[in-house]
């Protein structure tokens, strides 16, 4: 029997936090009492206002210095008000709660902020982490990166990584400037959390399907006016909770056959990757556990995206290739069907120190996937992992770029699999193969979850053209809406058939 309880732990990385101690439990109770978005906005606004008045009362009105104000704030019982990044954490947790996910809240300042009972606090925190299925971290941007509390949290997990292995991570950040580093912070922390074994997701399709929640607020209480930021935080809570539920739904099920895993190679030098992939993956014992499909695109022609105002050209069945570029010489139309039929994707290639004789279609490939994203997230919930054969001296950051581009396809990101090469020899073969084996296990699970989700729970992962006026207008067109509904139904039917054909129930 599948347990329906899925737990999301919300972690506040704010140094200016107002909730601490029993304030965390009270906060969860308060969130549980909010049932509409309007009520949420009202609540967030009043909590931000309380934050501002507490700050004034704690000494700003008497022109006290900030260290004194902070001391006074910390003396408060911690049951009222929310700092900027706390506000967005609540927005994310509220969305998760609306999706029937159980929520918990911890303020990192309670754990790392003072010496008193430090060991006991850490012990109880680790237990909470152990019980949680996913972690949602919200904190301020400090110097374009996380603050020290979030960093302490990461350090704690780095030495307790077993507790979070294969669990899901998502992030929210708030910065004083419009582009003060919200995205860099989200990206750095996402990379760090996946590198301790977690899976990462961003925010949902209803918001912007990017790296997570991005708030714009500097002064105490400012965040209440940032509706865009609140929306991305709600989107992050939605995204992580839906993925948690999807994974939980796979407990008593399995794929009947091996998962179909696409290996998309976009960069190579003298066929190194081609040979490595054939030898170490396709023609190895690994082919017993997965059905690997190689898309070696290095020698293919890929034209640049021409940035159409209306993309894709038509709203239609997922199986139909709908990018405007139809040239026979261009490889996309011939790989489209295969690509949307994978269960998971390994994507990358060779990353060199010396670029001489490197062939790369990487950037063109990536920009051309735009039509897949805009076809209501055709790659939604694919498990994606960068697969890099890397000269140890390479400084290309290919794995990071793959992650930051592919997460926008509403995917689930797995820690990069990197084969390091030195003097034409792979020097970490065992480790990388071990990572690959673990990835295959996760791919099986996510594949079942994705099939079940698309067959039974798929609502409407509608591409929301934020920033594109022309597309927005076309999207509201009556026939477009009807066509989208039909296309979505066809997607559902395709996955229903897949569910019968490919998934078994063990329970
Ligand atoms: C040490 C420090 C560094 C900061 N660095 C940045 C920054 O790089 N970019 C930015 O937009 N805001 C920066 N800020 C502003 C905070 O991110 C912002 O005030 C945020 O709302 C604080 O969230 P909180 O109230 O939840 O703690 C910085 C603030 C401090 C104290």
């Amino acid at each position: 029997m599948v347990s329906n309880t899925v737990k999301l732990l919300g972690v506040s990385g704010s140094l200016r936090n107002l909730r601490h101690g029993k304030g965390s439990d009270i906060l969860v109770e308060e969130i549980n009492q909010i049932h509409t978005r309007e009520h949420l906005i009202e609540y967030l606004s009043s909590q931000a206002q309380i934050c501002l008045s507490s700050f004034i009362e704690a000494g700003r009105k008497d022109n006290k210095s900030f260290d004194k104000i902070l001391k006074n704030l910390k003396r408060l019982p911690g049951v009222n008000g929310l700092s900027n990044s706390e506000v967005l954490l609540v927005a994310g947790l509220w969305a998760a709660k609306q999706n029937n996910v159980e929520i918990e809240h911890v303020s990192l300042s309670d754990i790392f902020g003072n010496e008193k009972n430090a060991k006991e606090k850490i012990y109880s925190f680790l237990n909470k982490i152990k019980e949680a299925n996913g972690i949602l971290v919200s904190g301020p941007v400090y110097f374009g990166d996380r603050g020290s509390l979030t960093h302490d949290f990461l350090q704690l997990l780095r030495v307790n990584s077993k507790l979070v292995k294969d669990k899901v991570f998502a992030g929210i950040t708030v910065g004083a400037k419009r582009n003060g580093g919200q995205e860099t912070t989200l990206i750095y922390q996402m990379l760090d959390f996946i590198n301790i074994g977690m899976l990462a997701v961003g925010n949902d399709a209803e918001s912007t399907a990017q790296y997570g929640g991005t708030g714009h607020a500097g002064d105490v209480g400012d965040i209440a006016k940032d509706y865009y930021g609140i929306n991305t935080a709600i989107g992050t809570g939605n995204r992580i909770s839906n993925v948690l539920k999807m994974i939980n739904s796979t407990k008593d099920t399995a794929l009947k056959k091996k998962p179909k895993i696409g290996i998309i190679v976009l960069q190579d030098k003298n066929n190194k990757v081609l040979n490595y992939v054939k030898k170490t993956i396709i023609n190895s014992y690994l082919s017993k556990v997965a059905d690997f499909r190689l898309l070696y695109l290095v020698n293919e022609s890929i034209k640049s995206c021409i940035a159409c105002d209306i993309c894709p050209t038509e709203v239609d069945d997922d199986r139909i290739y709908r990018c405007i570029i139809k040239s026979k010489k261009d490889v996309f139309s011939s790989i489209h069907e295969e690509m949307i039929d994978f269960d998971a994707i390994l994507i990358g290639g060779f990353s060199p120190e010396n670029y001489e004789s490197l062939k790369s279609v990487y950037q063109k490939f990536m920009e051309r996937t735009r039509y897949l994203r805009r076809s209501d997230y055709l790659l939604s919930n694919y498990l994606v992992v960068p697969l890099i054969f890397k000269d140890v001296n390479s400084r290309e950051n290919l794995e990071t770029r793959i992650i930051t581009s592919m997460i926008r396809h509403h995917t689930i990101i797995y820690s990069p699999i990197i084969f390091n090469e030195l003097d034409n020899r792979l020097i970490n073969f065992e480790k990388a193969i071990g990572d690959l084996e673990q990835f295959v296990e996760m791919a099986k699970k996510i594949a079942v979850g994705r099939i079940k989700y698309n067959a039974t729970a798929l609502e409407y992962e509608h591409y929301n053209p934020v920033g594109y006026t022309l597309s927005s207008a076309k999207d509201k067109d009556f026939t477009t809406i009807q066509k989208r509904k039909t296309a979505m139904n066809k997607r559902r039917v395709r996955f229903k058939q897949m569910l019968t054909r490919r998934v078994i129930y063990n329970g």
Side-chain angles (χ1 to χ4, degrees):
M1 190 60 198
V2 179
S3 155
N4 286 326
T5 316
V6 180
K7 270 193 190 169
L8 177 65
L9 180 61
V11 174
S12 162
S14 175
L15 277 155
R16 299 197 301 205
N17 67 305
L18 280 162
R19 296 293 177 134
H20 52 86
K22 64 176 186 243
S24 278
D25 296 336
I26 292 171
L27 180 61
V28 169
E29 278 168 32
E30 287 169 1
I31 298 171
N32 288 343
Q33 296 309 314
I34 302 172
H35 302 295
T36 65
R37 204 172 168 120
E38 291 69 36
H39 185 186
L40 173 76
I41 301 293
E42 240 171 65
Y43 172 79
L44 296 180
S45 171
S46 69
Q47 290 296 318
Q49 188 54 46
I50 292 171
C51 182
L52 178 58
S53 353
S54 309
F55 177 75
I56 294 168
E57 283 305 309
R60 180 47 86 227
K61 68 174 187 312
D62 308 317
N63 270 336
K64 286 202 170 116
S65 62
F66 193 78
D67 55 343
K68 298 224 166 72
I69 296 177
L70 196 63
K71 227 178 190 172
N72 288 339
L73 284 173
K74 293 292 166 197
R75 281 198 197 112
L76 295 172
V79 296
N80 256 323
L82 293 168
S83 79
N84 290 332
S85 59
E86 283 183 310
V87 163
L88 290 202
L89 180 60
V90 168
L93 288 176
W94 174 80
K97 182 64 197 171
Q98 301 316 293
N99 288 326
N100 297 320
V101 163
E102 207 176 285
I103 53 171
E104 271 222 68
H105 175 268
V106 169
S107 279
L108 291 178
S109 69
D110 265 349
I111 314 296
F112 304 111
N114 63 58
E115 307 281 285
K116 217 171 133 202
N117 303 328
K119 268 194 182 159
E120 287 85 342
K121 282 179 183 166
I122 290 207
Y123 181 76
S124 117
F125 184 37
L126 288 175
N127 263 331
K128 285 199 165 126
I129 293 165
K130 192 173 164 193
E131 281 167 18
N133 302 83
I135 294 177
L136 176 63
V137 174
S138 178
V141 178
Y142 281 179
F143 284 90
D145 198 354
R146 54 186 165 253
S148 53
L149 283 176
T150 305
H151 187 72
D152 287 345
F153 176 43
L154 179 67
Q155 292 290 77
L156 179 71
L157 290 184
R158 281 175 168 158
V159 291
N160 291 279
S161 57
K162 274 189 198 147
L163 298 181
V164 289
K165 173 97 184 89
D166 295 340
K167 293 184 177 179
V168 187
F169 171 84
I172 296 169
T173 58
V174 181
K177 323 282 181 314
R178 190 184 68 167
N179 43 6
Q182 292 85 338
E183 291 197 329
T184 50
T185 305
L186 287 173
I187 292 166
Y188 300 148
Q189 69 186 27
M190 176 170 65
L191 294 173
D192 286 325
F193 281 93
I194 60 174
N195 283 332
I196 53 172
M198 298 189 78
L199 307 171
V201 295
N203 53 315
D204 70 357
E206 277 304 300
S207 42
T208 55
Q210 309 268 340
Y211 311 124
T214 45
H216 175 201
D219 289 336
V220 172
D222 259 6
I223 194 72
K225 291 178 272 178
D226 181 25
Y227 297 115
Y228 182 95
I230 291 172
N231 199 31
T232 60
I234 291 174
T236 310
N238 264 332
R239 178 79 185 120
I240 188 168
S241 52
N242 278 323
V243 170
L244 290 178
K245 278 169 46 182
M246 192 183 93
I247 294 175
N248 191 54
S249 77
T250 65
K251 273 185 186 158
D252 292 335
T253 50
L255 283 180
K256 287 181 186 166
K257 292 188 181 158
K258 295 183 278 187
K260 287 182 253 178
I261 300 184
I263 305 179
I264 306 179
V265 180
L266 303 167
Q267 235 178 242
D268 205 358
K269 187 169 174 171
N270 307 325
N271 291 342
K272 268 171 192 279
V273 175
L274 183 62
N275 295 329
Y276 280 143
V277 164
K278 282 188 177 162
K279 198 168 156 209
T280 60
I281 305 177
I282 295 178
N283 299 327
S284 79
Y285 72 95
L286 283 170
S287 64
K288 291 200 173 71
V289 291
D291 177 4
F292 291 105
R293 312 272 177 98
L294 177 62
L295 281 182
Y296 187 78
L297 304 181
V298 175
N299 299 317
E300 302 294 338
S301 163
I302 299 183
K303 296 197 182 303
S304 303
C305 169
I306 59 165
C308 298
D309 52 354
I310 309 293
C311 169
T313 47
E314 296 293 330
V315 176
D316 211 329
D317 191 313
D318 287 347
R319 277 167 289 209
I320 297 170
Y321 169 73
R322 283 168 291 133
C323 171
I324 203 164
I325 298 171
K326 301 278 187 324
S327 158
K328 288 255 170 343
K329 284 193 201 130
D330 184 87
V331 78
F332 256 89
S333 58
S334 61
I335 60 171
H336 172 84
E337 276 207 62
E338 190 165 12
M339 222 166 26
I340 65 157
D341 203 31
F342 295 143
D343 291 316
I345 302 177
L346 289 150
I347 177 167
F350 189 68
S351 192
E353 179 194 17
N354 175 348
Y355 290 83
E356 224 169 88
S357 59
L358 183 83
K359 286 186 184 170
S360 178
V361 289
Y362 174 80
Q363 217 64 51
K364 283 187 178 158
F365 175 90
M366 210 46 97
E367 67 192 31
R368 284 290 301 288
T369 64
R370 183 184 192 229
Y371 82 95
L372 294 168
R373 183 173 194 260
R374 297 176 65 131
S375 299
D376 291 329
Y377 297 92
L378 248 170
L379 304 185
S380 184
N381 290 325
Y382 265 49
L383 185 65
V384 171
V385 64
L387 173 70
I388 314 289
F389 290 82
K390 183 177 195 173
D391 184 319
V392 287
N393 294 313
S394 164
R395 295 287 178 270
E396 198 187 10
N397 299 315
L398 186 58
E399 61 276 20
T400 304
R401 287 160 50 217
I402 290 173
I403 289 170
T404 51
S405 291
M406 289 303 292
I407 201 167
R408 289 146 183 257
H409 280 289
H410 215 241
T411 52
I412 302 168
I413 302 293
Y414 193 89
S415 173
I417 295 172
I418 301 181
F419 287 84
N420 285 317
E421 192 196 57
L422 180 66
D423 299 333
N424 292 316
R425 214 169 43 83
L426 298 181
I427 55 171
N428 64 338
F429 183 79
E430 306 280 309
K431 159 88 175 75
I433 286 290
D435 290 347
L436 200 49
E437 282 172 3
Q438 290 186 31
F439 169 75
V440 171
E441 285 313 304
M442 184 49 77
K444 288 184 195 165
K445 198 184 246 194
I446 300 290
V448 174
R450 179 168 167 269
I451 295 170
K452 277 186 82 178
Y453 177 84
N454 282 348
T456 58
L458 184 68
E459 281 166 19
Y460 196 27
E461 242 119 55
H462 178 194
Y463 174 76
N464 190 4
V466 178
Y468 294 104
T469 319
L470 288 174
S471 304
S472 293
K474 169 94 176 162
D475 264 9
K476 289 188 183 103
D477 189 271
F478 181 70
T479 43
T480 310
I481 293 171
Q482 287 307 105
K483 277 184 175 174
R484 273 190 193 279
K485 280 191 181 152
T486 313
M488 203 49 75
N489 271 337
K490 284 188 181 164
R491 186 179 289 181
R492 222 173 278 129
V493 170
R494 182 162 70 92
F495 279 92
K496 274 199 172 125
Q497 289 163 350
M498 232 188 265
L499 187 62
T500 324
R501 212 174 58 240
R502 300 191 55 206
V503 176
I504 45 166
Y505 288 80
N506 305 317

